[in-house]
Amino acid sequence: MSERPKISVIGTGYLGATHAVCMVELGYDVIGLDVDESKVASLRAGKVPFFEPGLPELLGKHLDSGRLRFTTSYEEVAEFADVHFVCVGTPQQKGSYAADLTYVESAFRSLAPLLTRQVLVVGKSTVPAGTAVRMQEVINELAPCAEVELAWNPEFLREGFAVKDTLTPDRLVFGVHSEWAESQLRAAFKPIIELGTPVVVTDFATAELVKVAANSFLATKISFINAMAEVCEATGGDVVALAGAIGLDDRIGKKFLSAGLGFGGGCLPKDIRAFIARATELGVDQAVSFLREVDQINLRRRARTVDLGLELVDGDYTGKRVAVLGAAFKPNSDDIRDSPALDVASSIGAMGADVIVYDPEANDNARRAHPELKYADSLDEVLEGADLTLLLTEWQEFRVLDPGVVAKKVKALRLVDGRNILDPAAWREAGFAYRALGRP
Ligand code: UDX
């Protein structure tokens, strides 16, 4: 196989599209596949089907270079590539905590029968431990070439920083069964390894677990500080000052200690639930039972935010105009999967409020998922005539809000800062009834 293997990327969602484009940026020839024709058409036309800073520019640059193309044909992919990255989604199953592996199964079952020469198939999707072994069995059963091998290489990119996290990751994790597989992965990540990026070479189970363990740790850190916020609320303490103080201990660190409305998105919530489900199957549910608490603390923050707003409107949302700032699960993303902001907005809507939402990027996705809510095209429009304002996603545009300017637009000076990004004193001085999570 060549020193610079040809790459395929199967699945062009947040992970796959970014991986495909970044591999071209690193100098590889890449083909991206998706079974969704509209995604392929959009990528071919140079349009990234989701919001990710920096990605559209790189896509445009590399479509022009001729080293990147997109297809719906598995035959084309099998013909072209030496290393195939499987990047399809593993959402939470309906009615269960477990991960839905339908897309992973289907990708492997579609690709394997077409593999007529020695290639490496690399799983990147976040999966329950044990999946890689099963996928190797699928390959063994269906691939005409007996030398096709599997590796597992989890991905740690964050939305909003996906390009940077892919081009300069903190580490690479290679779950492999042979030196050949390791050498192929080293060839596929050569420019990144040359930067001095640590490479952890391990077995399948550990590689699968690194990803869920990392996400579980991050979710736990967030829920820890949000649990402290609950205690602050009962004692008059200030969780922001508390987090600042404990974060100065470099064993704890400041990162991922922002108390507020908690975590959402396509990864942390479903990954901790899938971990609980898998651990239960393995008979080690006690080892991760704390993750149930992590999930519950996280969800309680949403309920608390609804209650804080309710207190400000004197116990009755009926007919109240509620301006919701933010719909995406975090800033610099248009992803609304398990978004705390939208969850709160729709709960308040169901309690009779006239809810109007504004997000700089996620309005279209939010409108599709929650057509029952109203949407504004600008900050000015959402604030106009509001009886209550809720800041639920910390976009830069909201961080720099001027209380004096907001006061002139809204009907009543009432605000809940669900992300602890505003200065309480400034808002109170401007006359606002200001409430926040975990702060007096
Ligand atoms: C996460 C992991 O960070 C990434 O490594 C993995 O590959 C995928 O899952 P992502 O879902 O993009 O990435 O978002 P992240 O930046 O981790 O934030 C997750 C959620 O936690 C967001 O809703 C964010 O608002 C919330 N969060 C984060 C907090 O509430 N407090 C914090 O201190 C940090």
Side-chain angles (χ1 to χ4, degrees):
M1 216 171 275
S2 64
E3 211 201 297
R4 194 160 277 239
K6 292 199 180 77
I7 305 289
S8 94
V9 177
I10 294 165
T12 59
Y14 289 93
L15 165 59
T18 309
H19 187 61
V21 171
C22 287
M23 289 309 275
V24 189
E25 175 72 6
L26 292 170
Y28 296 87
D29 288 0
V30 177
I31 186 164
L33 175 141
D34 207 291
V35 291
D36 180 342
E37 282 177 24
S38 68
K39 269 192 197 160
V40 169
S42 161
L43 288 162
R44 276 181 182 156
K47 236 181 116 347
V48 177
F50 50 87
F51 179 76
E52 184 59 50
L55 194 57
E57 294 77 3
L58 274 192
L59 173 67
K61 171 177 160 193
H62 292 307
L63 281 174
D64 293 345
S65 75
R67 289 190 294 111
L68 174 64
R69 64 199 155 100
F70 293 96
T71 182
T72 55
S73 158
Y74 271 99
E75 284 78 8
E76 208 179 329
V77 159
E79 169 72 28
F80 176 80
D82 308 308
V83 177
H84 300 275
F85 286 98
V86 177
C87 298
V88 296
T90 51
Q92 186 177 339
Q93 264 178 40
K94 286 213 163 53
S96 151
Y97 267 17
D100 177 355
L101 295 176
T102 318
Y103 305 112
V104 173
E105 282 276 345
S106 149
F108 276 87
R109 289 193 176 275
S110 305
L111 178 67
L114 305 169
L115 299 175
T116 51
R117 64 176 199 277
Q118 187 186 25
V119 292
L120 185 69
V121 185
V122 185
K124 256 193 170 316
S125 307
T126 301
V127 292
T131 306
V133 169
R134 272 189 36 224
M135 293 307 117
Q136 178 72 65
E137 283 164 13
V138 169
I139 290 173
N140 294 349
E141 182 197 333
L142 300 179
C145 171
E147 270 104 47
V148 174
E149 253 199 70
L150 179 69
W152 216 266
N153 164 234
E155 176 57 58
F156 304 95
L157 64 79
R158 296 161 298 169
E159 288 175 26
F161 300 91
V163 171
K164 176 184 167 288
D165 286 352
T166 306
L167 292 175
T168 54
D170 292 338
R171 76 299 212 184
L172 293 166
V173 176
F174 296 165
V176 290
H177 275 177
S178 77
E179 279 178 17
W180 179 79
E182 182 186 336
S183 70
Q184 293 314 299
L185 278 172
R186 286 188 181 275
F189 287 105
K190 194 161 179 264
I192 295 180
I193 295 170
E194 281 171 356
L195 295 174
T197 308
V199 180
V200 179
V201 180
T202 184
D203 53 84
F204 282 180
T206 308
E208 291 165 325
L209 283 170
V210 171
K211 175 61 188 269
V212 280
N215 276 355
S216 296
F217 191 89
L218 294 172
T220 303
K221 206 168 173 194
I222 298 168
S223 278
F224 171 81
I225 202 62
N226 283 333
M228 294 305 106
E230 289 188 21
V231 179
C232 283
E233 283 155 14
T235 56
D238 180 340
V239 74
V240 175
L242 175 82
I246 64 172
L248 288 170
D249 181 333
D250 66 7
R251 293 171 302 174
I252 296 173
K254 288 188 169 156
K255 290 181 181 164
F256 268 68
L257 278 187
S258 299
L261 190 46
F263 59 81
C267 292
L268 298 192
K270 68 106 178 153
D271 286 354
I272 62 169
R273 291 176 195 148
F275 200 13
I276 294 168
R278 183 64 183 136
T280 305
E281 282 169 11
L282 294 165
V284 285
D285 44 318
Q286 276 189 329
V288 298
S289 62
F290 70 95
L291 290 176
R292 288 185 193 277
E293 210 47 58
V294 165
D295 200 11
Q296 289 307 311
I297 293 165
N298 192 50
L299 296 177
R300 281 206 296 274
R301 293 288 78 188
R302 301 180 187 188
R304 172 74 181 161
T305 304
V306 172
D307 287 348
L308 282 179
L310 191 61
E311 285 171 21
L312 287 179
V313 293
D314 304 321
D316 188 5
Y317 274 123
T318 320
K320 299 284 180 345
R321 175 90 165 173
V322 178
V324 168
L325 311 190
F329 84 101
K330 67 172 188 179
N332 298 316
S333 170
D334 65 354
D335 193 346
I336 55 145
R337 288 176 292 173
D338 207 339
S339 164
L342 271 183
D343 207 3
V344 167
S346 76
S347 299
I348 291 176
M351 291 166 86
D354 177 21
V355 178
I356 178 154
V357 178
Y358 165 66
D359 189 285
E361 293 294 338
N363 270 8
D364 289 347
N365 287 341
R367 198 179 276 116
R368 271 191 290 275
H370 288 280
E372 79 283 7
L373 302 173
K374 289 182 185 153
Y375 294 88
D377 292 328
S378 68
L379 193 49
D380 280 352
E381 189 187 336
V382 76
L383 292 172
E384 197 64 54
D387 293 300
L388 168 68
T389 302
L390 305 179
L391 194 168
L392 303 183
T393 311
E394 66 277 31
W395 284 93
Q396 184 58 27
E397 189 176 351
F398 307 151
R399 282 182 184 272
V400 297
L401 277 176
D402 180 331
V405 175
V406 175
K408 292 201 186 94
K409 301 213 157 64
V410 295
K411 190 157 103 198
L413 306 188
R414 303 178 181 127
L415 182 121
V416 177
D417 178 0
R419 293 292 177 179
N420 285 322
I421 55 165
L422 303 177
D423 173 9
W427 288 77
R428 287 187 175 128
E429 264 163 39
F432 276 81
Y434 173 96
R435 301 297 301 274
L437 294 157
R439 300 185 95 176

